Amino acid sequence: MHKIKVRINGRDFEDEVDSRLLLVHYIRQKARLTGTHVGCDTGNCGACTIIFNGKTIKSCLMLAVQANGADMTTVEGLAKNGLHPIQEAFMDRFAIQCGYCTPGMMLSACSLLQTNPQPNEAEIREAIEGNLCMCTGYQQIVEAIQYAAEKTRK
Amino acid sequence: MLKLEEILVTRNWVGKPVRRKEDTRFVMGVATYVDDLDIDCHHVAFLRSPYAHARILKIDTSKAEALPGVIAVITGQEIARQTKPVVPRAFNKPAVQYVMAVNKVRYVGEPVVAVVAENQYLAADALDLIEVEYEALKPVVTIEDALNPKSPLIFEEAGSNVLLHDKMVHGNIEEIYKEADLVIKEHFKVHRYSSTPLEPWAIIVKYERANDSFVVWSNDQQHGRSIVNVCHTLGISTDKLRFIVPDSGGGFGVKLALWPYIVTLALLSKKANKPIKWIQTRTEHLLGGTHAPDADVEIDLALKKDGRILGLCIKDIQNDGSFVHTTGIYGLIKFATMSGCYNIKATSAELVSVVTNKGPTVQNRGVGKPTMIFVLERMVDLAAKKLGLDPAEMRFRNFIQPGQMPHTTPSGEVYESGDYPECLRKGLRHLGYDEFRKRQKDLRSKGRYIGVGISAGVEPGTSNLGYYYTSRGVPEYMGNAEGAIVGVDYDGNINVLLGSVDSGQGHATTTSQVVADMLAIHPDRVSMTNQLDSIISPFLGHSGVYSNKFNDVDLGAVIMATKKVRDKMLRIAAHMLGVDRSKLKLKDGTIYSSENGAKAVSFKEIASVAYKRILLLPEGEEPGLKEIAYYKTPFAKMPSRENFNIQITHSNSVHIAAVEVDVESGSIRLDRYIIVHDCGNQIHPEIVRGMAIGSTVHGIGASLYENFVYNEDGQLLASTFMDYLKPLSVGLPNFEVVHMESPCPYSLLGTKSAGEGGAITSLTALANAVEDALSPFGVKVTSLPLAPEKVVKAIRETKEI
């Protein structure tokens, strides 16, 4: 067992964890933040995407002990003083069907818009290439990210 | 049947792209899927067979049971002692299979031992300590293997690996073939693929010691039937099972087959005396949870020289793998689309289902209809080529005309409405077909190969359940229906409980639009419980989310229950206001007199009388404002071999794909993709657009990337998303969706189905486009997927993909 200290969505957590505990299981089971999902176990689907020290990672590919000292944002941390523009855009542009990919998808989109506030369609598609959506065929997700970027410009 | 103007009193919401009610919880990350439920559980892991076909000689679980943290273990033998075998639905031969392997394993990944431990890590550790001795048997992998009389039997008691073999002729096929100027034949192979919902199967079972019963939480798609299956298999009465379906992360048919695991978990929860949870891993999902069968289809078309298709014959062989519950159901369902969009006079279908040591199959999105439209629409292109006709012209010459609707196919399927020629005309205009042909010629001279593929498909909705029983007598389920409860609460707001569940379709949103326009209120005042609970929600054996049934029957139930509530509110209002009911109208959550607007009562005031001040109710009126209604498909035919309908409504579409093939690498680039789609009246056009595109991408994935490759030992070589490749955001075009609306005369709102469509029609659009692009090389497409190595080989050597 190892002692870890992490910050998730601005809140500090301190826990004793097994060395083999996956970060995604820590987030879901210990921190009880269940918006981060598991879809493939191999880092392909992106349902477990979180922002880790400013960059997106797939939390099923990291151990909880490796996150010691890290500052993380999960989907539950997106809304501050009302919904984040990307959350509004996903709703306004019908980017959601079953909702399972949505948290990871939105975090990848946020990460893109932070580094490239006015992406073109190809850049958007590339930014979410690591996030699988089985329902939408991606088009309304791409449109939502474009819309969020446009709204920010205005 | 109620008329539209009797149903909707306003037209403010139906047909508008309002924000989806479901989405707030999804964007906040606070949706509740099974694994998110805050229930203190032990965890289940399954030891699965490493062999495709083997006898189980010995199982030793003692070391696993001794591991600290392990709570309970169960083997297939123990399961067989405590449960009944799985009941087949479509065939009569004896084939005994339990929910776990007993004595023999039949596919790689079949559950052999289940372990309960304090957490999922310990459960996985325990699996490593179980010793199983197998005697390997020769695997039966392909359709050829299954048909070879020398092959071993998957089910010895069946005496054959062919579990279903039937032939059905409709119309005067012999005469039709005599009239034909020519007959063309082809043999197609369709591979195994699956729509793989992003959330895998998930189950929690809690044993209730106090009354010896079970509570199940699961993302099951058809709980109405699963309750029956689980209780029958466990040998318990249905009052001993409470079934709860929370949020579900996609279904696509794949979650129709998870119920056998509920049986195992129920036994384990009793043994462990604690709630237990199983969350399927992706590898478990790909190994056995589950596939569309691979198929060999021989088809021939009887043609006139002018291009008219007179009749068709198919011989359809499905490799149904190793799950008797679904074996055989992919054959007959092809009749829902057998003659496609065309005026075909006679059909003959020889339907064969074989079992092998491949994994189980289930009703994957479209269920057999993608294969049917694939072979038919490929044949239309091959016939056009043979007759020197343009593929578009070939279709125009055969389409059922709008004036011929409703159209009954030779087997009895009724297409209720649609303008098939106009869909194709719109699609061709949208593409700029003639310019495309010119550009194709120019580019070819420069060594670039672009092609266009047309596919026209019928996209049926709402299964007339029981159709697969033609060889088994009166079916246990028939027709289709759903139940709904609509209540007005103390505050005059509306709550709806539906017997179906949502796995991405936006049921709460579309329901609120319809109820809002029925009661003249804002949809914000209509809520729908997102969780189905079998002791609270209305349900039938048909209940669930499958075969695009929502518009046809689920909304029917909502409409009928809302109407009952509306009628009751009108009766109470008439009494309260002293105004004749015929003079009352609804507006903004009030009921008022059309002759004197000052005479009005709000829903809240009516509710107050219905719930509290009940002595003010009219004479003989029951208190309360909550009504239940069930709605069944009014046009479902009884099962019969001569005249039957597989499905109840029939949307249609034309897909046009424009591709470029790199003849050196074999890679296929999708340049444009046009979907002309007609699902009758639309309640929410943006939800429909999402369904049309999403389902199309399932077909594109199947056509280009996804393939459950098995080696000769029956090992699945694509068991993670690293080797089972799904479509990504990159590589897909911007889909151009063109809507047409031909109202359905047989559904309450003139709607048809919107969920499966693209998965049916898209396979051929790509295949036809690739063949068109490669026509200078004389390449013919007779199989899927269109993998780059197959494309290159066809160009250089085989001339056939």
Side-chain angles (χ1 to χ4, degrees):
Chain A
M1 295 296 265
H2 304 265
K3 203 168 190 183
I4 61 164
K5 263 186 173 177
V6 295
R7 175 169 286 190
I8 309 177
N9 305 331
R11 203 180 127 200
D12 292 318
F13 291 83
E14 219 176 310
D15 273 295
E16 291 263 316
V17 298
D18 215 338
S19 51
R20 63 179 174 171
L21 184 72
L22 292 174
L23 178 57
V24 68
H25 289 151
Y26 176 81
I27 292 167
R28 290 181 50 80
Q29 294 162 12
K30 296 269 186 184
R32 284 299 300 156
L33 293 165
T34 55
T36 305
H37 298 146
V38 181
C40 76
D41 323 300
T42 51
N44 294 88
C45 83
C48 66
T49 303
I50 61 162
I51 295 175
F52 184 93
N53 293 336
K55 287 187 171 169
T56 52
I57 62 145
K58 290 172 175 175
S59 60
C60 77
L61 294 183
M62 192 182 261
L63 297 168
V65 288
Q66 292 174 288
N68 189 23
D71 186 357
M72 295 176 263
T73 306
T74 69
V75 63
E76 292 91 340
L78 268 183
K80 287 173 192 129
N81 312 316
L83 292 179
H84 187 280
I86 200 74
Q87 292 173 310
E88 296 277 2
F90 267 57
M91 294 206 281
D92 284 337
R93 284 294 178 267
F94 307 99
I96 305 168
Q97 288 183 28
C98 84
Y100 202 75
C101 75
T102 306
M105 202 62 93
M106 289 191 307
L107 289 168
S108 289
C110 284
S111 178
L112 166 72
L113 295 179
Q114 259 167 19
T115 52
N116 179 1
Q118 297 304 324
N120 61 30
E121 188 199 326
E123 288 166 336
I124 293 171
R125 286 186 179 272
E126 205 169 300
I128 57 167
E129 193 182 21
N131 294 78
L132 292 180
C133 170
M134 305 296 180
C135 297
T136 63
Y138 305 100
Q139 186 151 320
Q140 284 155 310
I141 294 173
V142 172
E143 290 166 4
I145 300 169
Q146 278 168 332
Y147 179 67
E150 277 165 31
K151 274 215 320 202
T152 322
R153 185 166 47 202
K154 281 170 197 161
Chain B
M1 221 169 77
L2 281 175
K3 294 199 184 85
L4 198 57
E5 53 274 21
E6 294 173 273
I7 298 168
L8 304 180
V9 301
T10 61
R11 294 295 181 93
N12 297 331
W13 307 106
V14 169
K16 306 271 164 59
V18 300
R19 257 194 183 191
R20 291 188 356 138
K21 280 184 171 292
E22 299 80 359
D23 289 348
T24 310
R25 68 179 187 272
F26 292 139
V27 298
M28 304 275 289
V30 296
T32 313
Y33 303 93
V34 173
D35 197 23
D36 305 337
L37 292 162
D38 197 2
I39 301 171
D40 181 23
C41 290
H42 287 333
H43 292 255
V44 179
F46 288 93
L47 183 72
R48 293 172 180 278
S49 169
Y51 290 97
H53 200 190
R55 277 190 208 296
I56 300 169
L57 301 179
K58 201 175 138 201
I59 300 176
D60 184 352
T61 60
S62 55
K63 284 183 197 152
E65 285 173 81
L67 183 74
V70 170
I71 312 293
V73 173
I74 198 162
T75 64
Q77 273 88 354
E78 212 177 321
I79 292 272
R81 280 195 295 275
Q82 295 183 57
T83 63
K84 291 179 192 151
V86 174
V87 180
R89 283 182 284 178
F91 63 89
N92 286 318
K93 288 189 177 170
V96 181
Q97 182 173 35
Y98 290 87
V99 298
M100 281 176 48
V102 186
N103 301 327
K104 180 169 148 167
V105 289
R106 294 188 175 90
Y107 65 94
V108 173
E110 186 167 12
V112 175
V113 182
V115 174
V116 181
E118 283 168 2
N119 63 53
Q120 74 241 64
Y121 293 80
L122 283 172
D125 289 343
L127 298 185
D128 290 341
L129 301 175
I130 298 168
E131 289 163 17
V132 185
E133 219 176 287
Y134 295 97
E135 178 198 341
L137 300 169
K138 193 177 167 214
V140 180
V141 183
T142 62
I143 288 172
E144 294 75 28
D145 291 346
L147 295 174
N148 183 346
K150 288 184 188 150
S151 290
L153 295 174
I154 308 294
F155 295 95
E156 287 82 1
E157 61 278 18
S160 170
N161 289 326
V162 178
L163 292 194
L164 186 74
H165 191 166
D166 198 1
K167 186 172 178 180
M168 301 176 83
V169 176
H170 295 96
N172 198 337
I173 196 86
E174 281 177 27
E175 281 302 311
I176 286 281
Y177 270 69
K178 275 184 209 156
E179 277 175 40
D181 294 326
L182 73 159
V183 173
I184 63 163
K185 278 181 195 296
E186 198 49 73
H187 183 175
F188 295 97
K189 281 179 187 285
V190 179
H191 63 301
R192 274 190 171 220
Y193 60 90
S194 168
S195 291
T196 62
L198 194 55
E199 182 206 23
W201 295 355
I203 303 167
I204 293 172
V205 180
K206 183 181 178 210
Y207 175 61
E208 302 268 15
R209 219 172 177 177
N211 51 5
D212 190 29
S213 66
F214 302 96
V215 186
V216 172
W217 291 262
S218 175
N219 50 12
D220 188 290
Q221 275 186 257
Q222 200 181 3
H223 53 280
R225 185 195 289 259
S226 294
I227 289 170
V228 175
N229 290 342
V230 170
C231 290
H232 169 83
T233 311
L234 285 169
I236 59 172
S237 55
T238 46
D239 65 319
K240 297 291 184 195
L241 189 73
R242 178 179 173 193
F243 206 108
I244 298 169
V245 186
D247 281 319
S248 178
F252 318 123
V254 178
K255 287 174 178 167
L256 292 166
L258 60 77
W259 66 266
Y261 285 88
I262 298 175
V263 173
T264 303
L265 260 74
L267 293 177
L268 280 169
S269 71
K270 196 169 177 174
K271 220 169 161 173
N273 196 22
K274 169 137 186 171
I276 58 167
K277 180 194 281 196
W278 173 58
I279 306 297
Q280 187 184 45
T281 66
R282 182 56 60 183
T283 294
E284 288 182 309
H285 187 86
L286 296 174
L287 281 170
T290 58
H291 310 161
D294 43 317
D296 269 20
V297 188
E298 288 170 32
I299 175 168
D300 57 58
L301 294 189
L303 295 160
K304 294 299 271 185
K305 275 186 201 148
D306 63 7
R308 275 180 298 143
I309 306 165
L310 302 178
L312 69 85
C313 297
I314 65 163
K315 182 176 181 183
D316 170 58
I317 311 177
Q318 298 291 333
N319 181 343
D320 277 328
S322 47
F323 181 44
V324 296
H325 191 63
T326 34
T327 298
I329 69 169
Y330 266 73
L332 209 58
I333 198 166
K334 293 194 174 68
F335 277 101
T337 48
M338 188 157 291
S339 42
C341 297
Y342 309 119
N343 212 334
I344 292 175
K345 298 275 182 288
T347 60
S348 164
E350 190 177 347
L351 307 171
V352 181
S353 165
V354 302
V355 280
T356 64
N357 294 119
K358 284 188 178 178
T361 56
V362 74
Q363 297 96 308
N364 193 74
R365 202 171 195 172
V367 203
K369 290 158 283 184
T371 299
M372 189 61 232
I373 290 293
F374 172 68
V375 300
L376 178 60
E377 285 297 284
R378 278 280 43 242
M379 288 303 273
V380 172
D381 263 34
L382 293 174
K385 202 173 277 184
K386 182 98 181 167
L387 297 165
L389 289 172
D390 182 90
E393 179 57 27
M394 178 76 193
R395 289 177 171 83
F396 283 124
R397 291 188 186 185
N398 284 287
F399 277 139
I400 298 157
Q401 298 299 310
Q404 295 172 316
M405 295 288 180
H407 167 86
T408 305
T409 71
S411 59
E413 201 76 13
V414 181
Y415 300 167
E416 44 290 297
S417 62
D419 189 340
Y420 302 168
E422 182 56 18
C423 282
L424 180 52
R425 279 193 292 270
K426 271 184 193 260
L428 296 173
R429 273 201 303 273
H430 200 85
L431 174 75
Y433 189 62
D434 297 333
E435 297 92 84
F436 185 91
R437 288 291 180 207
K438 274 184 219 140
R439 203 159 69 86
Q440 183 179 41
K441 215 171 158 189
D442 291 347
L443 285 175
R444 270 182 194 166
S445 64
K446 292 172 189 151
R448 286 179 60 189
Y449 298 91
I450 62 170
V452 61
I454 300 168
S455 177
V458 169
E459 304 171 349
T462 310
S463 173
N464 178 7
L465 287 175
Y467 59 82
Y468 40 76
Y469 277 85
T470 53
S471 61
R472 286 172 64 93
V474 180
E476 192 181 353
Y477 299 81
M478 54 172 80
N480 211 310
E482 193 50 273
I485 294 172
V486 174
V488 179
D489 65 16
Y490 285 177
D491 298 313
N493 295 323
I494 320 299
N495 183 258
V496 182
L497 283 163
L498 192 60
S500 164
V501 290
D502 190 311
S503 56
Q505 298 81 358
H507 289 173
T509 304
T510 39
T511 296
S512 74
Q513 290 174 271
V514 172
V515 172
D517 270 343
M518 284 187 73
L519 297 176
I521 51 167
H522 194 282
D524 283 353
R525 291 185 58 184
V526 185
S527 62
M528 190 160 101
T529 310
N530 68 318
Q531 174 172 290
L532 178 129
D533 184 336
S534 66
I535 63 167
I536 298 167
S537 311
F539 77 97
L540 300 158
H542 308 76
S543 288
V545 54
Y546 59 92
S547 87
N548 296 319
K549 70 187 247 304
F550 178 76
N551 278 350
D552 294 341
V553 290
D554 300 30
L555 273 183
V558 169
I559 288 166
M560 299 320 273
T562 305
K563 186 167 180 306
K564 282 186 188 178
V565 166
R566 188 173 73 190
D567 287 346
K568 184 163 182 177
M569 285 203 293
L570 284 166
R571 288 197 301 273
I572 297 171
H575 184 72
M576 288 170 76
L577 298 172
V579 174
D580 190 77
R581 215 182 121 189
S582 62
K583 302 282 189 289
L584 292 177
K585 287 202 172 341
L586 291 96
K587 191 183 172 189
D588 298 334
T590 60
I591 295 179
Y592 67 98
S593 162
S594 58
E595 289 172 342
N596 175 4
K599 283 196 165 191
V601 277
S602 66
F603 288 6
K604 189 174 177 176
E605 288 165 314
I606 296 169
S608 167
V609 169
Y611 287 115
K612 298 182 290 195
R613 303 157 79 193
I614 57 173
L615 301 182
L616 299 177
L617 282 167
E619 181 88 23
E621 193 73 68
E622 280 179 20
L625 260 184
K626 189 177 276 192
E627 297 289 342
I628 189 165
Y630 299 96
Y631 184 77
K632 76 173 169 119
T633 50
F635 300 100
K637 295 174 185 170
M638 286 288 281
S640 133
R641 291 178 68 82
E642 287 72 40
N643 177 11
F644 55 90
N645 56 353
I646 299 285
Q647 293 191 260
I648 309 298
T649 58
H650 299 79
S651 298
N652 72 284
S653 73
V654 166
H655 286 214
I656 301 181
V659 304
E660 178 163 5
V661 182
D662 179 334
V663 296
E664 296 303 319
S665 68
S667 68
I668 295 160
R669 200 186 70 222
L670 270 166
D671 282 338
R672 288 182 68 187
Y673 201 105
I674 296 157
I675 305 165
V676 188
H677 182 271
D678 188 344
C679 62
N681 290 340
Q682 298 178 42
I683 295 166
H684 191 301
E686 280 297 309
I687 289 179
V688 170
R689 187 166 78 102
M691 288 286 151
I693 295 171
S695 60
T696 297
V697 171
H698 282 213
I700 291 173
S703 302
L704 297 182
Y705 314 116
E706 302 175 33
N707 191 2
F708 287 118
V709 178
Y710 283 83
N711 72 7
E712 67 230 25
D713 297 326
Q715 291 289 341
L716 179 60
L717 305 181
S719 60
T720 69
F721 279 155
M722 282 189 246
D723 27 34
Y724 188 79
L725 302 178
K726 300 299 294 188
L728 306 175
S729 51
V730 172
L732 290 171
N734 245 315
F735 293 90
E736 300 159 59
V737 183
V738 182
H739 291 306
M740 277 195 64
E741 293 192 56
S742 307
C744 175
Y746 305 145
S747 63
L748 289 174
L749 297 177
T751 55
K752 298 192 239 177
S753 59
E756 292 176 355
I760 295 170
T761 311
S762 50
L763 303 181
T764 344
L766 286 171
N768 287 350
V770 168
E771 186 173 287
D772 182 53
L774 297 179
S775 60
F777 301 92
V779 167
K780 183 163 73 175
V781 177
T782 56
S783 73
L784 293 173
L786 303 159
E789 67 274 15
K790 283 166 72 185
V791 173
V792 169
K793 209 171 171 195
I795 293 168
R796 294 182 188 167
E797 300 164 35
T798 59
K799 304 296 170 202
E800 192 165 335
I801 295 171

